[in-house]
Amino acid sequence: MIKEAATLKEALFEKRFGGKGTIKVKSLLDAEEFIGKGRLFAHNIIPPGSSLGYHKHEGDFETYYILRGEATVNDNGVMKTVKAGDVVYTPPGESHSIENTGSQDLEIMALILFA
């Protein structure tokens, strides 16, 4: 199966998980395509100063792959700067947030699979 770019679903989220600004999320897989193994595979665009708020993963885990830009990640209370090429992994039961602290859009691939 091939999905053409024009057919991918996009959504805008205001203050996602209590974060700041507006996040653009392009879903790469639909729910049924996970075959019960996960719930999100997306390309996220986070403008400068915007963020995904601090949230906990229960029964699933999330991985971010930073494609472009620079951000500050709160990894269970530990603040860390990440940049293009870095990976952020949040196991089940742990929490995280990410804020674009750079001057260009932050682009990340996000994958959430069930534990």
Side-chain angles (χ1 to χ4, degrees), residues 36-91:
K37 307 292 186 203
R39 65 181 178 88
L40 178 82
F41 181 41
H43 178 201
N44 297 336
I45 299 175
I46 304 171
S50 295
S51 66
L52 288 167
Y54 194 70
H55 61 283
K56 187 173 187 175
H57 283 270
E58 299 280 0
D60 61 26
F61 56 95
E62 184 166 26
T63 304
Y64 293 153
Y65 178 62
I66 313 301
L67 297 171
R68 178 176 176 228
E70 184 175 293
T72 298
V73 171
N74 181 338
D75 181 21
N76 283 298
V78 177
M79 306 303 281
K80 177 77 176 168
T81 299
V82 294
K83 61 187 179 330
D86 291 343
V87 173
V88 178
Y89 171 68
T90 305

Side-chain angles (χ1 to χ4, degrees), residues 1 3 7-9 27-36 38-41:
M1 172 197 301
K3 293 181 160 189
T7 67
L8 299 175
K9 296 176 188 170
S27 295
L28 305 177
L29 292 177
D30 295 325
E32 64 275 359
E33 293 168 325
F34 280 102
I35 314 169
R39 65 181 178 88
L40 178 82
F41 181 41

